[in-house]
Amino acid sequence: MSLARPDLTGSTAFVTGTTRGIGKQLALSLADCGCNIVSTGKTTDDTVDETPLEGTIEQTAREVRERGVQAHAIELDVRDTSAVEAAVEEAIDHFGEVDIVINNASAIQLAPVAELPADRFDLLTEVNVRGTHLVSRAFADHLADVDDAWLLANAPPVTTDRAPGKAPYAWTKLGMSFLTLSLAEELADADVGCNTFWPVTAIDTRATRYFGLGTEDDWRSPAVVADAVLALLARDPAECTGHSFYDEELLAAADVTDLSAYNLTDGDPEPISARLFDPDFERPA
């Protein structure tokens, strides 16, 4: 059974890290449901020649507009307090209201403690934890005054107190979850739905390929995460808050159990992403 997509006409989503990968797919999938998009990230049409990576915030915005909704691109380094506050103000001024905020931007480096230089540790901490804090903090009061608001993060369930071989990265991603789930309590009186989402399998992104997280047989397309978020947004934020969801869990609850269309190859990918932080993870029987 295919996903019954929510009608997000009139909504506006502020998504961090939309130049490529999961963030871009989130923006496009939300747009397909009628949602306006604030496309944010560091790579712009003016700076794309300075990086080997493909994609810009403006390119994502153009593809969003092709889907018949509005888009506004804002260059943003989520580590910069003033830049975050200015971007949030610009987004609200442009659209009048933002009711969906998704902390997706992340840095990744899988390395043991002894092998990770201090500057790389700082980068992981500043992008993942500080960035989530700054964006969430800047939007908190606004979301509290908006009906049916959501604050989401692309981050895993907090299921472990250690992650040998990747502890610096793990604690920053778990920190994103800790902040988001804490906000579920802090914004409970305003009925803001604060939740995290995380893929069970590795997703076909540049980071996945660079760090060799399995092979194409183990990967799914970013669309599986985006569809899981759409399934989440079909719920009532006042009733659905303070949860960490796996994508397969969200899709199963929406009666989507055949996930083969998301696979890059035939077969059933292993739960590599879930086991990054929960080595004992098993799919429900």
Side-chain angles (χ1 to χ4, degrees):
M1 181 176 179
S2 61
L3 179 69
R5 295 172 178 266
D7 181 2
L8 300 177
T9 303
S11 287
T12 297
F14 184 103
V15 186
T16 63
T18 59
T19 54
R20 61 191 68 88
I22 292 173
K24 180 174 183 177
Q25 186 61 58
L26 285 169
L28 299 181
S29 294
L30 288 164
D32 284 334
C33 294
C35 187
N36 301 320
I37 300 296
V38 183
S39 173
T40 75
K42 293 178 62 179
T43 308
T44 69
D45 286 350
D46 293 333
T47 64
V48 67
D49 292 339
E50 301 171 10
T51 174
L53 305 178
E54 296 181 357
T56 70
I57 56 173
E58 292 92 350
Q59 177 59 35
T60 297
R62 287 189 288 269
E63 293 181 36
V64 164
R65 294 188 193 103
E66 290 172 358
R67 287 157 165 80
V69 298
Q70 298 181 56
H72 185 60
I74 303 176
E75 183 178 2
L76 178 61
D77 181 345
V78 296
R79 299 170 293 178
D80 185 327
T81 304
S82 297
V84 169
E85 292 174 350
V88 170
E89 182 177 356
E90 181 178 340
I92 294 171
D93 286 347
H94 186 84
F95 285 106
E97 182 177 283
V98 174
D99 55 328
I100 301 169
V101 175
I102 304 180
N103 284 302
N104 167 75
S106 293
I108 179 173
Q109 185 155 352
L110 303 178
V113 172
E115 296 178 13
L116 188 75
D119 61 341
R120 297 301 296 177
F121 177 85
D122 290 343
L123 177 67
L124 293 173
T125 302
E126 290 172 7
V127 174
N128 299 353
V129 185
R130 178 182 172 87
T132 296
H133 171 75
L134 291 179
V135 172
S136 301
R137 175 178 177 271
F139 267 114
D141 288 342
H142 178 76
L143 293 175
D145 290 333
V146 173
D147 292 335
D148 300 324
W150 293 94
L151 176 61
L152 308 178
N154 182 3
V158 180
T159 59
T160 185
D161 61 0
R162 69 201 69 192
K166 50 189 173 292
Y169 172 66
W171 98 262
T172 63
K173 292 300 292 185
L174 295 171
M176 293 175 66
S177 297
F178 197 89
L179 286 168
T180 306
L181 299 178
S182 296
L183 280 161
E185 299 293 330
E186 295 174 10
L187 296 175
D189 290 343
D191 292 336
V192 179
C194 302
N195 303 280
T196 71
F197 58 89
W198 190 249
V200 169
T201 70
I203 302 300
D204 183 19
T205 64
R206 178 182 179 276
T208 295
R209 292 177 179 270
Y210 181 84
F211 286 102
L213 298 178
T215 68
E216 290 191 354
D217 291 336
D218 301 304
W219 302 340
R220 287 185 175 140
S221 73
V224 69
V225 179
D227 279 0
V229 170
L230 294 182
L232 175 56
L233 294 176
R235 302 186 181 191
D236 180 355
E239 301 294 331
C240 181
T241 189
H243 302 288
S244 288
F245 294 107
Y246 285 116
D247 57 352
E248 292 183 5
E249 174 188 3
L250 286 165
L251 291 170
D255 295 324
V256 180
T257 55
D258 182 0
L259 305 183
S260 59
Y262 302 111
N263 298 347
L264 266 62
T265 64
D266 293 336
D268 191 18
E270 290 296 309
I272 290 176
S273 188
R275 288 177 180 165
L276 278 175
F277 308 102
D278 183 2
D280 297 323
F281 174 86
E282 297 291 343
R283 291 184 170 103

